[in-house]
Amino acid sequence: GEGRLTGVTVQKVDENRAPVPGTEMHFDCDTLLLSVGLIPENELSQQAGVEMSPLTQGAVVDDSLQTSKEGIFACGNVLHVHDLVDFVSMEAARAGRNAALYAAGRLAGQNKEVAVKAGEGVRYVVPQRISRGEDVSLAFRVTTPSSGRVIEVRDGERVLKTKEETRLHPAEMVWVEMGKMDLEDINSLEVRVR
């Protein structure tokens, strides 16, 4: 009821998330605010046998947002946790457009698939592989907060793109637009912060 003091009891858990007896602590409070991380909802992806990323805890996709299961596309928080709904909307439009192309038999890839890796200072990159090379957009999160840095997209020692960033934070997604890419000239992609 209003004005009634309540409380919260917290307890340590072990590596299996089981409560550790004797570690309980009680705090009197009238309001509790939880600020917790999210994980993608992936029950349907797992049931479909889609390859999952241990880093994003979402589906592994190519640049069309198609998963490892042909004809299944992923976007939004099924793919990775987003900080802005605008990014979810952009991904949803891309996934929908590519799903329609797939249904019409017009989602052709190039002859070669290129892996995308997270390099120095980058936690993960989505997509994890490029197969079409049309309008390629890389989304990623950095490992630590920093300022005045440069994002590099590399193929080995060759720098394909740089982007200056005044401020980087792990909680905020970063995007690099690569545009059209000829995959025959690329061995792999690595996104890094320097």
Side-chain angles (χ1 to χ4, degrees), residues 91-159:
E91 272 184 5
R94 182 182 297 260
R97 182 174 55 251
N98 289 323
L101 288 171
Y102 174 83
R106 294 177 30 221
L107 189 69
Q110 296 188 31
N111 293 328
K112 180 179 177 186
E113 188 171 272
V114 170
V116 182
K117 300 180 279 192
E120 183 179 344
V122 176
R123 183 165 176 260
Y124 71 78
V125 184
V126 173
Q128 293 88 349
R129 60 185 192 275
I130 308 295
S131 60
R132 295 190 66 229
E134 302 287 330
D135 191 27
V136 175
S137 181
L138 304 175
F140 59 94
R141 290 188 189 272
V142 297
T143 55
T144 56
S146 61
S147 58
R149 305 301 291 269
V150 174
I151 304 299
E152 284 184 346
V153 180
R154 303 170 67 105
D155 175 14
E157 294 302 312
R158 182 171 57 132
V159 177

Side-chain angles (χ1 to χ4, degrees), residues 177-194:
E177 301 296 333
M178 299 298 294
K180 187 170 178 58
M181 302 184 77
D182 183 356
L183 303 185
E184 295 305 317
D185 293 338
I186 300 170
N187 292 316
S188 66
L189 292 179
E190 178 186 69
V191 181
R192 59 188 266 185
V193 176
R194 66 168 182 82

Side-chain angles (χ1 to χ4, degrees), residues 5 34 57 100 117 158:
L5 188 66
L34 297 175
Q57 297 186 36
K117 300 180 279 192
R158 182 171 57 132

Side-chain angles (χ1 to χ4, degrees), residues 56-76:
T56 65
Q57 297 186 36
V60 171
V61 294
D62 69 5
D63 50 321
S64 69
L65 300 179
Q66 186 168 210
T67 67
S68 61
K69 292 290 184 178
E70 187 177 325
I72 298 179
F73 295 77
C75 63

Side-chain angles (χ1 to χ4, degrees), residues 1 28 52-53 70 77 79 97 101 105 127 129 158 167 179:
D28 291 330
M52 305 300 288
S53 165
E70 187 177 325
N77 288 341
L79 186 54
R97 182 174 55 251
L101 288 171
R129 60 185 192 275
R158 182 171 57 132
R167 181 181 163 278

Side-chain angles (χ1 to χ4, degrees), residues 75-93:
C75 63
N77 288 341
V78 166
L79 186 54
H80 58 132
V81 174
H82 292 65
D83 46 334
L84 295 175
V85 72
D86 296 358
F87 295 153
V88 175
S89 298
M90 288 176 0
E91 272 184 5

